[in-house]
Amino acid sequence: FLGIGVVIYHFVAEGQFSAIMTMAVMLQCLAMLLLLMQSLSTGSAAGISARALKLEALSLCCRLSSTTWLNGYLPADASGDWIFQAIDVCTLLLVLGLLHTVLVGQRASYEEQEDSLPIAPMVFGSFLMAAILHADMNSRPLFDTLWMTGLFVGVLAVLPQLWLVWRTGGRIEALTSHFIAMMAMSRVLSGIFMW
């Protein structure tokens, strides 16, 4: 991922600052890949929050509803032409695959009782705040609101995972902690760009 990131930054984006957004979605994709690796290597869904994955899927769908056909929230460099969206689609496919694995394939090991943080208020609050605070970079209020909803939901998506860690006594698999770290780094890069 680091090598691919360097190639995209230097040769595709030509060192432009907006490439930081592409690096952020690459880290998000890496985070999901690490979580999938944990699930496959242990054969267990223990320690993985399906609610966090649902929020991530919703976040990606909201963002992709805008970025697949409108340019307002894409990096201004060449990585925004298709690479950015392709990485988001890849991440969404990883999330959906993980959700299927956790809820169907490894259901017996899924810690459903501990994964209990309510997510409906987060989704409703995110949509409400996005409807009020959305920007107008697409000049289409619905898609500006959906993109902003995706941003807010994405920021909150790690909370069910942290809740699950807390409810299970603080024990955490190494790849889950790496997942959380990669998601944090992704959000930091997004924040730097948005600032």
Side-chain angles (χ1 to χ4, degrees), residues 123-135 141-142 144-150 152:
V123 172
F124 179 73
S126 294
F127 184 76
L128 185 64
M129 293 300 292
I132 297 168
L133 300 173
H134 69 82
L142 174 64
D144 290 322
T145 300
L146 285 173
W147 187 88
M148 186 63 90
T149 300
F152 289 155

Side-chain angles (χ1 to χ4, degrees), residues 19-86:
I20 198 167
M21 285 297 294
T22 305
M23 301 303 116
V25 296
M26 287 182 70
L27 286 173
Q28 183 179 15
C29 188
L30 175 60
M32 292 303 158
L33 186 60
L34 290 171
L35 209 53
L36 180 62
M37 286 173 47
Q38 174 192 314
S39 173
L40 295 177
S41 67
T42 63
S44 170
I48 299 175
S49 169
R51 290 174 184 244
L53 294 174
K54 289 174 185 177
L55 288 176
E56 279 299 334
L58 177 63
S59 170
L60 288 161
C61 287
C62 286
R63 286 193 347 230
L64 283 166
S65 73
S66 173
T67 59
T68 52
W69 69 289
L70 297 167
N71 294 322
Y73 299 99
L74 291 172
D77 59 76
S79 70
D81 291 342
W82 66 271
I83 294 172
F84 182 88
Q85 301 92 322

Side-chain angles (χ1 to χ4, degrees), residues 118-194:
I119 60 173
M122 290 184 220
V123 172
F124 179 73
S126 294
F127 184 76
L128 185 64
M129 293 300 292
I132 297 168
L133 300 173
H134 69 82
D136 63 350
M137 294 181 71
N138 284 329
S139 298
R140 295 175 186 261
L142 174 64
F143 293 100
D144 290 322
T145 300
L146 285 173
W147 187 88
M148 186 63 90
T149 300
L151 180 70
F152 289 155
V153 169
V155 168
L156 297 173
V158 75
L159 292 179
Q161 183 65 51
L162 295 174
W163 177 266
L164 178 62
V165 169
W166 176 73
R167 297 265 303 175
T168 56
R171 69 172 169 58
I172 188 170
E173 294 283 336
L175 289 175
T176 303
S177 64
H178 288 70
F179 158 77
I180 294 170
M182 290 299 106
M183 292 301 287
M185 289 175 59
S186 171
R187 300 306 186 232
V188 166
L189 289 180
S190 292
I192 289 170
F193 179 77
M194 298 293 175

Side-chain angles (χ1 to χ4, degrees), residues 72-118:
Y73 299 99
L74 291 172
D77 59 76
S79 70
D81 291 342
W82 66 271
I83 294 172
F84 182 88
Q85 301 92 322
I87 296 169
D88 262 356
V89 168
C90 182
T91 305
L92 178 60
L93 293 174
L94 285 170
V95 170
L96 294 175
L98 262 166
L99 266 171
H100 182 268
T101 300
V102 168
L103 296 176
V104 178
Q106 299 172 347
R107 179 89 180 174
S109 59
Y110 170 49
E111 299 165 318
E112 190 169 2
Q113 296 296 329
E114 290 80 12
D115 190 16
S116 59
L117 186 67

